[in-house]
Amino acid sequence: MANSRYDLVVIGSGPGGYVAAIRASQLKMRVAVIERDRPGGVCLNWGCIPSKALLNSAAVMDTIRGASKEHGIEVGEVRFDFTKVIARSRAAAEKLSKGVLYLLKKNKIDYFEADAVITGPHTVSLAPVEGKSAPQAAALEAERILIATGSGERLFPGMKVGDGVITSKEALVLDTMPASVVVIGAGAIGLEFGYFYSAFGAKVTIVEIEKQMLPGFDAEVAEELRRAFVKRGVTVMLGHGYKSMVRKGGLWSVAVTANGAEKSIDAEVVLVAVGRTPLSQNIGLEKIGVELERGGFIKINDSFQTTVASIYSIGDVVRPPLLAHKASAEGIAAVEIMAGVREPGFDLLAIPGCIYCEPEVATVGLSEADAKARGIEVKVGKFPFRAIGKAVAIGETVGFVKIVATKQYGEVIGCQIIGHAATDIISEVVLGKTLETTTAEIGKTAHPHPTMSEAIMQAALAADGEAIDF
């Protein structure tokens, strides 16, 4: 291995770490990346990519099952090999993980498979990972260090994974289809896996302590999604908090409470999806003076610097939202600020959030309730997919687009979409928000017909009282 002195050492090779490393290399920095698991981090190996492969399989199952009823296409009895479903998702993860390693090599970035501990403002020690070869250096020196260690699955106190108790990570390698599943938590992860298991025929119950699915999201979107889940046969228990669970034969009996009353749900598998926790422990932060905030998140300033000037941090380990594309955008911003080609600052409201169940959910910026809570006078345009020609033609009429804009100027400050392909068409509004677009500009922009994106144009027109088709 080459000299162990670097301009930048990145700890973590997830979508924040490897993207930051490549951008730093483009900016003529000498870069090393340290990863203890696999290239690509959680997202590529245990999160975004394999889970979306599974959700694609679920969507195919939905399509096949609806072929006769919706399209008049006879397909006979529908059967599946769940082992192959899981294997396909793992193959996608493996392919992209290898792709990350290729990109690092292509950009002349040194890659170390090791456990990293920061021992000083400019030094990182490397230790062997159990079951893997010893790293090619005992320590690295760097002008700057970037922490991109991400987040891990959260469990309730006293809860252990195993014997049918799983998190999203175990769900990705569970090669036997459970007959029944209790999902604790109705956030993005819980809903995606709830949809996945229901599409393959499992009896699914979703438990959420808050009064709506997707706590913190637009209430109308959450209610539309709840109705869609109930329609597909999922039991949704809102306002119910997890209390305990006990093994009864081959099932788990999960006790939940609501308004002082206790209920129990029996299921073969319990999927715990109650959030994620930042991986800020056991990397030496306390000893060198890097401060943590509530919840274990690393404290940073507008330049992504921690309380130690030479140490920076990005992604899940610093703050919500815990999203891969946010980590990538922060990684690019951090190294460009280091290189002096970008001003400090980062707009979290420009980061879209996407949920890949069916119907999909996508949001950016402020909801109507958020804007009003900030004292912003708004106008709102809402348009249903049932009035969109493409949606009717393909049988995907559930959901709507909702645009939130300032009342005075019509500047778009937020958008919420629930419906088929929501996670793709949100990008138009994300770009528009970056360019400080208005409802008038979107409304007067010709959209191709027939497309799902026409709903964005019509929602913008609706905000100005000019919607044509509804």
Side-chain angles (χ1 to χ4, degrees):
M1 181 59 67
N3 191 323
S4 59
R5 298 178 65 90
Y6 297 90
D7 298 312
L8 179 67
V9 167
V10 180
I11 304 175
S13 70
Y18 87 80
V19 168
I22 291 171
R23 183 64 183 127
S25 180
Q26 291 172 344
L27 291 168
K28 310 304 180 186
M29 296 185 197
R30 187 160 186 272
V31 186
V33 170
I34 308 169
E35 173 59 58
R36 67 182 181 184
D37 188 6
R38 295 162 56 85
V42 169
C43 175
L44 267 64
N45 295 287
W46 304 108
C48 316
I49 299 306
S51 68
K52 301 315 166 279
L54 293 182
L55 291 168
N56 175 248
S57 295
V60 171
M61 283 296 294
D62 274 351
T63 299
I64 294 172
R65 285 195 170 118
S68 176
K69 181 180 178 181
E70 300 291 335
H71 301 279
I73 300 170
E74 299 295 335
V75 295
E77 182 185 356
V78 179
R79 294 179 294 178
F80 60 87
D81 184 335
F82 197 69
T83 301
K84 290 184 178 179
V85 173
I86 296 297
R88 175 177 175 272
S89 76
R90 299 314 307 158
E94 179 69 20
K95 182 177 181 179
L96 287 172
S97 181
K98 289 179 179 177
V100 169
L101 196 57
Y102 165 78
L103 287 174
L104 295 178
K105 291 179 179 178
K106 178 183 176 181
N107 286 277
K108 298 180 174 57
I109 296 165
D110 291 339
Y111 180 79
F112 295 87
E113 195 172 58
D115 268 319
V117 174
I118 301 172
T119 52
H122 302 281
T123 56
V124 182
S125 70
L126 307 183
V129 177
E130 185 177 353
K132 298 183 179 181
S133 301
Q136 296 162 293
L140 305 180
E141 295 182 15
E143 181 180 348
R144 296 182 179 92
I145 298 166
L146 178 65
I147 303 168
T149 47
S151 62
E153 299 79 12
R154 186 190 299 275
L155 292 170
F156 287 113
M159 199 179 259
K160 293 182 179 180
V161 168
D163 196 22
V165 178
I166 63 173
T167 67
S168 57
K169 184 174 183 177
E170 291 74 36
L172 293 169
V173 292
L174 189 70
D175 58 6
T176 301
M177 180 65 196
S180 54
V181 182
V182 169
V183 179
I184 304 175
I189 293 173
L191 295 182
E192 288 183 356
F193 277 103
Y195 163 68
F196 169 72
Y197 286 123
S198 69
F200 279 93
K203 179 183 178 183
V204 176
T205 302
I206 295 175
V207 176
E208 171 57 54
I209 193 170
E210 299 294 338
K211 299 297 184 182
Q212 68 170 58
M213 286 175 141
L214 299 176
F217 277 62
D218 179 89
E220 287 187 281
V221 168
E223 177 56 20
E224 184 86 351
L225 189 59
R226 185 197 68 81
R227 288 196 294 264
F229 266 67
V230 170
K231 186 176 181 180
R232 66 181 301 118
V234 175
T235 300
V236 180
M237 301 177 69
L238 301 177
H240 286 73
Y242 166 79
K243 183 180 179 182
S244 62
M245 60 184 183
V246 62
R247 193 72 168 163
K248 289 186 177 180
L251 301 175
W252 283 101
S253 182
V254 180
V256 298
T257 59
N259 299 319
E262 184 174 312
K263 301 177 183 178
S264 63
I265 315 142
D266 294 338
E268 185 179 328
V269 166
V270 178
L271 171 62
V272 185
V274 291
R276 299 180 64 81
T277 184
L279 297 177
S280 56
Q281 304 300 314
N282 304 317
I283 55 175
L285 301 186
E286 299 85 353
K287 291 183 179 179
I288 60 170
V290 172
E291 293 181 17
L292 302 182
E293 297 186 310
R294 183 178 179 182
F297 293 103
I298 297 174
K299 183 178 181 179
I300 58 170
N301 63 17
D302 285 347
S303 296
F304 297 95
Q305 285 175 301
T306 70
T307 47
V308 176
S310 60
I311 300 176
Y312 295 68
S313 191
I314 59 167
D316 286 10
V317 76
V318 297
R319 59 192 175 188
L322 309 187
L323 300 169
H325 49 279
K326 186 211 76 165
S328 296
E330 287 184 333
I332 291 171
V335 296
E336 288 183 348
I337 291 168
M338 292 177 200
V341 299
R342 181 172 178 154
E343 293 297 316
F346 189 85
D347 184 8
L348 287 171
L349 288 177
I351 300 296
C354 296
I355 302 166
Y356 298 84
C357 54
E358 192 62 50
E360 293 183 344
V361 174
T363 71
V364 68
L366 298 175
S367 68
E368 181 180 2
D370 290 336
K372 290 179 178 178
R374 295 184 180 209
I376 302 172
E377 287 192 90
V378 298
K379 56 183 179 180
V380 176
K382 182 180 174 184
F383 199 85
F385 282 113
R386 68 176 182 272
I388 294 296
K390 175 68 176 289
V392 174
I394 65 175
E396 298 289 357
T397 56
V398 173
F400 55 84
V401 174
K402 186 176 183 180
I403 287 181
V404 182
T406 61
K407 186 175 181 179
Q408 184 175 7
Y409 299 111
E411 181 182 345
V412 175
I413 58 174
C415 179
Q416 296 80 44
I417 307 175
I418 177 168
H420 182 72
T423 60
D424 291 311
I425 66 174
I426 190 68
S427 294
E428 174 184 349
V429 186
V430 178
L431 175 60
K433 188 176 182 306
T434 298
L435 297 175
E436 299 180 346
T437 194
T438 66
T439 51
E441 289 169 334
I442 293 178
K444 287 177 170 55
T445 299
H447 285 58
H449 175 78
T451 60
M452 299 295 281
S453 67
E454 286 179 278
I456 292 175
M457 176 182 69
Q458 293 294 346
L461 288 169
D464 293 329
E466 300 175 5
I468 301 300
D469 293 338
F470 183 73

